[in-house]
Amino acid sequence: MPSHLQETRRRRTFAIVSHPDAGKTTLTEKLLLFGGAIQMAGSVKSRKTSRSATSDWMALEKERGISVTSSVMQFPYEGKIVNLLDTPGHADFSEDTYRVLTAVDSALMVIDCAKGVEERTIKLMEVCRLRDTPIMTFINKLDREGRSPIELLDEVESVLGIACAPLTWPIGMGKRLKGVYHLALDEVHIFEQGKNFTRQDSTIFQGLDAPGLAEKIGAEAMRELREELELVQGAAPSFDIDEYLAGRQTPVFFGSAVNNFGVQLLLDFFVEHAPSPRPRATTTREIQPEEEKLSGFVFKIQANMDPAHRDRVAFMRVCSGTYAAGMKMIQTRTGKEVRIANALTFMASDREIVETAYPGDVIGLHNHGTIAIGDTFTEGENVSFTGIPNFAPELFRRARLRDPLKMKALHKGLAQLSEEGATQFFRPLMSNDLILGAVGVLQFEVVAYRLKDEYNVDASFEPVTVTTARWVHCDDPKKLEEFREKNAMNLALDAAGELVYIAPTRVNLQLAQERWPQVRFAATREHA
Ligand code: GDP
């Protein structure tokens, strides 16, 4: 088999989705430990401490107890290459999360056993649903008193509408936690506090009748386990790979991330069954990962990742072919040819130059304002990957500058930060206002903080009478011109120079739509 094929098939690219505090960061850290990346595990943790070196403005994250950055972590495990795409946890950054989820082949859902299915989990599952993304589930914090496992599975099934196939089953919970039973392997893994639970240093019993097991966990726990298993094995479906790959069934694991308990069982199963890179739709055809020509799309842009570099990085997911340092690619939106000599990979906080990358991998391209979210790169074919949306913002504010001489810097800062996609920047045709749109209030605070920190601009955001925005398209250039003249008061250009209708009220938008049937008002801007 050619190495491109081998490399493609051993890629596992995924993201962890969860409600804040369910344990995503802790689990990420443990997964990285298994990947032999101990120092990386440390740096994930440090995101929540003041030692974070990646960017100064993370001080804001710390104050607010949120994580606003995403990164990409690659590690080898059992002959596979795992790419874990981090997603920001706070609700205000959900757009960013949506786009990260367009770049993965599967997802891992983390649920707190005391809290069950929470609001963010529901939202994120809806996004996974859109693309039938296969999902594995980890029910976390078994070392604490939680809800009964059967009740938790019921909730996942009824609230999230996905069948649960338990792969491990908890033996007790909280102070009574004895271990987990692996249904497929028929093994009991004992929970022993304070140990680092790799397969090598855990106590494993083969089968429920194994000598010594009943003594180890106690007769009461043994009886309870048998009862529950009888119930579960009768009622719950067993794991079905096709159902899982179609996004209709989720294999479920129980454990405790902070104790590293049950995590390796999950990871072993994940690398064996989670999908390798899948085909992707473009404007003209489906591109297969096995194809030899390189293609990929940009799903995320981040400004000033490293304050010392003052740069912007575009994250491109490779969809087919092989990236080799120094190769030429076409940016299909502009038709421009670019030579990529120094793409980056992100081993947590350390950046390294990559020589080669395969489907499923993410590479970082230096961006000088010419790359936009959703851009496709190929070796020549004129196609664009679809399904990477830019949502219409729901909140709008006008930027107000304290020092008028800083206008140019403000403009630059807003434009560059908007490239990241979490906020959008509009310049009305008829005024000198700079209007920022976002999906959450917190984003204005983050932008104000970053403007000061990264661009030395003191700005605040004040209310403006804009309720919603729609990207405007019209096939008839004359009609469009007429529309433009008559509605100039409500029109603006976005950061990419596209025409946008900024409606003062919903009623106004509705009237405009009725009056101009030839004009399309799009709620998302799909970069194509
Ligand atoms: P995130 O917001 O989803 O990234 O959650 P974190 O990984 O930061 O975890 C939130 C809190 O739950 C932290 O205080 C963790 O130490 C704690 N935590 C994570 N996993 C476990 C677990 O298995 N058991 C217990 N008791 N606490 C946990």
Side-chain angles (χ1 to χ4, degrees):
M1 196 158 53
S3 86
H4 169 250
L5 270 189
Q6 266 167 2
E7 291 294 342
T8 303
R9 289 189 186 154
R10 70 190 188 114
R11 280 339 192 239
R12 299 287 181 271
T13 302
F14 79 113
I16 303 182
V17 298
S18 66
H19 192 86
D21 270 345
K24 189 180 70 175
T25 310
T26 312
L27 184 64
T28 300
E29 205 179 296
K30 302 305 175 192
L31 293 175
L32 293 177
L33 272 171
F34 285 113
I38 291 151
Q39 75 284 14
M40 279 198 262
S43 62
V44 172
K45 200 66 206 164
S46 74
R47 283 203 331 223
K48 292 198 173 173
T49 74
S50 57
R51 286 180 295 114
S52 180
T54 313
S55 180
D56 294 338
W57 56 269
M58 284 185 190
L60 178 69
E61 277 186 43
K62 202 197 143 208
E63 279 163 30
R64 306 289 304 243
I66 53 164
S67 164
V68 289
T69 46
S70 308
S71 51
V72 180
M73 290 153 276
Q74 186 181 69
F75 62 92
Y77 183 76
E78 293 289 315
K80 307 289 195 296
I81 300 290
V82 179
N83 290 309
L84 172 50
L85 276 50
D86 194 15
T87 54
H90 194 280
D92 277 5
F93 298 87
S94 54
E95 254 201 273
D96 208 0
T97 305
Y98 290 165
R99 282 187 294 257
V100 170
L101 291 177
T102 65
V104 299
D105 299 298
S106 72
L108 173 61
M109 170 165 73
V110 181
I111 289 176
D112 182 325
C113 72
K115 295 189 174 146
V117 175
E118 295 176 86
E119 166 234 325
R120 281 288 290 154
T121 325
I122 299 174
K123 286 227 177 91
L124 290 162
M125 272 292 293
E126 280 168 10
V127 180
C128 292
R129 244 323 116 61
L130 293 175
R131 311 168 51 85
D132 298 326
T133 307
I135 293 154
M136 290 195 186
T137 301
F138 185 72
I139 298 188
N140 190 28
K141 306 198 185 180
L142 266 198
D143 60 316
R144 282 208 195 143
E145 239 17 270
R147 291 161 48 189
S148 100
I150 292 180
E151 196 185 309
L152 287 164
L153 297 195
D154 272 352
E155 185 171 89
V156 170
E157 298 209 349
S158 62
V159 178
L160 301 178
I162 190 166
C164 291
L167 259 299
T168 63
W169 196 258
I171 308 172
M173 239 186 210
K175 288 201 174 66
R176 297 168 296 107
L177 177 65
K178 305 287 187 217
V180 292
Y181 172 67
H182 197 299
L183 282 86
L185 301 175
D186 188 27
E187 284 176 356
V188 172
H189 289 239
I190 300 296
F191 174 67
E192 288 158 300
Q193 194 126 29
K195 272 207 196 179
N196 214 24
F197 291 98
T198 58
R199 190 170 287 289
Q200 294 74 23
D201 59 18
S202 22
T203 311
I204 302 172
F205 288 90
Q206 188 66 56
L208 293 180
D209 300 318
L213 173 62
E215 290 75 54
K216 183 86 187 172
I217 67 172
E220 175 65 19
M222 200 66 222
R223 194 181 50 76
E224 220 172 90
L225 173 64
R226 282 188 195 277
E227 265 175 30
E228 282 186 356
L229 284 178
E230 204 165 303
L231 208 81
V232 167
Q233 282 167 327
S238 47
F239 174 66
D240 179 325
I241 184 83
D242 295 326
E243 286 293 291
Y244 158 66
L245 291 177
R248 288 191 294 264
Q249 186 197 73
T250 179
V252 180
F253 290 81
F254 287 84
S256 167
V258 82
N259 289 293
N260 204 0
F261 182 66
V263 177
Q264 195 174 26
L265 295 176
L266 166 76
L267 182 58
D268 285 346
F269 191 85
F270 173 82
V271 293
E272 194 180 338
H273 298 288
S276 56
R278 309 212 286 175
R280 303 240 151 203
T282 71
T283 41
T284 56
R285 66 186 189 91
E286 195 165 73
I287 290 188
Q288 306 296 322
E290 294 81 15
E291 292 179 30
E292 275 170 21
K293 290 260 165 75
L294 179 85
S295 69
F297 64 88
V298 172
F299 63 94
K300 176 187 167 60
I301 289 179
Q302 196 171 331
N304 309 323
M305 282 186 66
D306 179 347
H309 285 81
R310 291 269 158 211
D311 57 356
R312 283 167 286 157
V313 173
F315 292 74
M316 181 179 102
R317 144 113 196 187
V318 178
C319 298
S320 66
T322 307
Y323 161 81
M327 77 187 290
K328 288 181 179 146
M329 302 195 284
I330 302 282
Q331 182 180 17
T332 62
R333 180 172 55 88
T334 59
K336 285 207 181 94
E337 187 180 72
V338 286
R339 207 176 84 86
I340 308 291
N342 52 354
L344 302 166
T345 184
F346 304 93
M347 308 289 274
S349 63
D350 296 326
R351 304 208 221 171
E352 292 174 16
I353 304 291
V354 268
E355 292 298 325
T356 46
Y358 300 95
D361 290 345
V362 173
I363 59 177
L365 311 175
H366 291 282
N367 180 22
H368 306 286
T370 51
I371 305 178
I373 288 173
D375 278 359
T376 295
F377 287 88
T378 68
E379 277 186 64
E381 188 176 345
N382 187 18
V383 295
S384 294
F385 287 97
T386 53
I388 309 116
N390 221 1
F391 296 90
E394 284 159 17
L395 298 166
F396 297 84
R397 299 269 193 281
R398 181 191 295 125
R400 213 174 61 104
L401 203 52
R402 300 224 168 81
D403 174 359
L405 295 177
K406 288 277 172 67
M407 198 59 189
K408 237 177 119 181
L410 172 67
H411 202 291
K412 180 174 160 196
L414 288 176
Q416 292 191 354
L417 295 176
S418 292
E419 278 171 19
E420 295 182 4
T423 55
Q424 292 176 37
F425 166 51
F426 303 100
R427 286 163 299 149
L429 298 184
M430 303 298 282
S431 75
N432 290 325
D433 284 348
L434 299 175
I435 294 177
L436 200 66
V439 287
V441 186
L442 183 58
Q443 278 158 353
F444 296 109
E445 241 177 275
V446 171
V447 169
Y449 187 99
R450 290 184 63 183
L451 282 171
K452 181 128 186 55
D453 195 48
E454 293 164 25
Y455 299 89
N456 197 22
V457 174
D458 222 334
S460 59
F461 291 93
E462 60 187 25
V464 60
T465 46
V466 177
T467 306
T468 186
R470 291 290 182 271
W471 280 271
V472 173
H473 307 277
C474 182
D475 297 330
D476 179 351
K478 264 172 90 182
K479 257 280 166 279
L480 184 62
E481 197 42 49
E482 194 189 330
F483 176 76
R484 208 180 152 115
E485 267 170 33
K486 294 255 163 71
N487 294 281
M489 286 299 289
N490 290 330
L491 288 171
L493 297 177
D494 74 2
E498 304 265 342
L499 196 62
V500 182
Y501 189 86
I502 47 175
T505 63
R506 298 235 163 232
V507 174
N508 171 286
L509 172 66
Q510 210 172 335
L511 288 175
Q513 283 170 316
E514 280 165 19
R515 239 170 251 157
W516 299 87
Q518 307 90 333
V519 175
R520 273 175 293 127
F521 295 80
T524 60
R525 180 162 78 94
E526 259 212 21
H527 308 263

